[in-house]
Amino acid sequence: ATWRAPTATDNCAMQSFTSNYSPGATFPQGVTTVTYTAKDNANITSSCSFTVTVIDNTAPVITCPDTMTAPTDPNGCTAVVTYAPTASDNCGSATTVCSPASGSAFPMGSSTVTCTATDMSGNTARCAFTVAVNNQAPVTTITGPESGLIYAAGTSVTFTGSFTDNAGDTHTAIWMFDGLTTGGTVSEGSGTVTATYSFAAAGVYNVMLTVTDQCGHSGTSTH
């Protein structure tokens, strides 16, 4: 801070004229008292003072992450996502609060996170970013029997299929033979689906396998 320094006069010679701060001094945030003291040769003193007030009206600087993409947690339809935006301030530190908070469970789709940094003087700054949670649909393949094989009516036919999906997801399966439907037996460990079905009537049947995960996403293949 700078100012025009006061002057001192006396009817006799001056011995000293001092101050605790000089023009151009650097002051801390808050209120500081500057005092000038004049002393004459008779050791008589006189003082005057004024205050210098330094205020912080500069907002902190906050930086949010870029868009964050996460798969759903195993056997779930949400994802727990953590993040840590950074904040700095010209006068000390700043605290950061985000909504939703880091470590929250986010649903599938896109969600907006808003973060606010507040410095010790109450100045604030905000930033926002997107959390995108996805759950891919299963990818299915019919592995047996071979297309075009002929069976006698009433014969039990074993159907096999395989699927891939997010690790830890759980699944159900349906086999369809034109308008006929039967459930499939799912082996999560091997990623396979089986079913046995007896066709009472002769004919040519289109085979369809549909595998659905716990979030309702389905993958279908035909044979």
Side-chain angles (χ1 to χ4, degrees):
T2 60
W3 60 88
R4 186 173 64 181
T7 58
T9 60
D10 191 66
N11 61 331
C12 296
M14 294 288 296
Q15 182 183 140
S16 62
F17 186 41
T18 60
S19 68
N20 57 341
Y21 288 95
S22 300
T26 299
F27 289 81
Q29 184 179 347
V31 180
T32 302
T33 300
V34 178
T35 302
Y36 279 82
T37 302
K39 180 188 290 186
D40 64 13
N41 285 334
N43 288 327
I44 299 173
T45 62
S46 179
S47 299
C48 69
S49 62
F50 60 92
T51 59
V52 174
T53 302
V54 177
I55 61 172
D56 174 20
N57 57 9
T58 301
V61 176
I62 184 171
T63 302
C64 279
D66 294 330
T67 296
M68 301 183 69
T69 302
T72 52
D73 294 333
N75 197 26
C77 297
T78 62
V80 174
V81 182
T82 59
Y83 36 83
T86 59
S88 60
D89 190 58
N90 63 322
C91 292
S93 59
T95 58
T96 302
V97 176
C98 294
S99 178
S102 176
S104 296
F106 288 82
M108 290 185 293
S110 296
S111 301
T112 299
V113 179
T114 302
C115 298
T116 302
T118 305
D119 66 16
M120 292 183 290
S121 297
N123 300 306
T124 61
R126 291 178 176 82
C127 65
F129 63 99
T130 299
V131 172
V133 176
N134 57 66
N135 177 268
Q136 69 178 24
V139 177
T140 64
T141 303
I142 297 175
T143 56
E146 235 178 86
S147 179
L149 290 182
I150 299 174
Y151 296 89
T155 301
S156 293
V157 181
T158 297
F159 294 89
T160 60
S162 63
F163 65 91
T164 58
D165 199 9
N166 295 323
D169 282 5
T170 55
H171 305 83
T172 58
I174 295 292
W175 291 89
M176 296 187 66
F177 316 107
D178 290 338
L180 307 174
T181 299
T182 188
T185 301
V186 176
S187 173
E188 298 288 0
S190 60
T192 58
V193 182
T194 58
T196 301
Y197 193 80
S198 297
F199 294 90
V204 177
Y205 295 87
N206 294 312
V207 179
M208 177 183 294
L209 170 62
T210 299
V211 177
T212 304
D213 65 18
Q214 77 282 351
C215 298
H217 294 159
S218 297
T220 299
S221 59
T222 57
H223 200 46

